[in-house]
Amino acid sequence: MIPSKKDLQAICDLRFSPEVYEKLQEASVAIAGLGGLGSNIAVMLTRTGIGKLKLVDFDQVDLSNLNRQVYDIRHLGQLKTEALSQRLKELNPYIELELYSGRITEDNVWSVFRGCRYICEAFDGAEDKAMLAQQVLCGLPEAYLVSGSGMAGYGDADQIHTRKVNSRFFVCGDECSDAAQGIGLMAPRVAVCAGHQANKIIQLILEER
């Protein structure tokens, strides 16, 4: 049986306090890239009570994703936006979701993310990460950007940290490790980095006046 929205709100009020939960419910967060980082960030933010998520990715779920992303066998072949939407609705059927199933380029960053106050960058490639950071910081002056950099392998998870670059830009990760032969992306460290990104977003929301 699906719980009512009122029942879910009552539980969250008990855990967070009504004032905190209300702030989270009013917040909207965009997630650019729905792989190991982005899919885990989305689940964490949904469980925390964020009211709206904008899910952005062009890719489909395949077998190589299952070792560290939140998808399962039933999602194979689906667009990640649609598969993740299904997964999040199972956690909170009342969350508001906006899907953008396309590739982000310099030409469309501003149109896709215009109006987004909080943006999580969770792309795979360094060039895509740099492009998004440059475009958001230069063209979307009201947006906060929380980026991921370095979470490969199985090294000490304490090396993963959150660094403030400037008042609107934060980087989470060890900022050095990269996937290579014998050093792949594994669920534990990816999830730790995703947790840092989700936590920073929540902190920004709750501390903003």
Side-chain angles (χ1 to χ4, degrees), residues 18-31:
E19 295 79 12
V20 168
Y21 183 59
E22 182 178 357
K23 238 181 168 179
L24 295 172
Q25 276 285 285
E26 291 175 350
S28 176
V29 180
I31 305 174

Side-chain angles (χ1 to χ4, degrees), residues 52-70:
K52 179 180 179 180
L53 295 178
K54 184 166 189 174
L55 307 178
V56 179
D57 202 302
F58 68 92
D59 207 1
Q60 296 178 332
V61 180
D62 65 38
L63 277 173
S64 70
N65 302 147
L66 301 187
N67 78 318
R68 66 195 183 282
Q69 303 179 19
V70 303

Side-chain angles (χ1 to χ4, degrees), residues 92-112:
N92 178 5
Y94 308 105
I95 189 170
E96 184 179 349
L97 300 174
E98 181 181 351
L99 311 184
Y100 182 86
S101 302
R103 189 182 291 273
I104 297 302
T105 68
E106 289 184 8
D107 296 329
N108 66 10
V109 169
W110 296 350
S111 62
V112 172

Side-chain angles (χ1 to χ4, degrees), residues 151-153 176-185:
M151 71 290 306
C176 62
S177 65
D178 196 7
Q181 186 66 31
I183 309 176
L185 293 166

Side-chain angles (χ1 to χ4, degrees), residues 37 121-134 147-149:
L37 284 178
E121 177 276 308
F123 287 152
D124 291 331
E127 290 184 1
D128 291 330
K129 290 174 176 289
M131 178 274 294
L132 185 67
Q134 181 180 27
S147 183
S149 177

Side-chain angles (χ1 to χ4, degrees), residues 148-180:
S149 177
M151 71 290 306
Y154 50 87
D156 187 356
D158 287 342
Q159 295 174 352
I160 295 174
H161 56 267
T162 300
R163 179 171 66 89
K164 181 179 181 178
V165 180
N166 61 42
S167 62
R168 297 194 294 119
F169 185 29
F170 301 82
V171 176
C172 303
D174 62 28
E175 299 190 68
C176 62
S177 65
D178 196 7

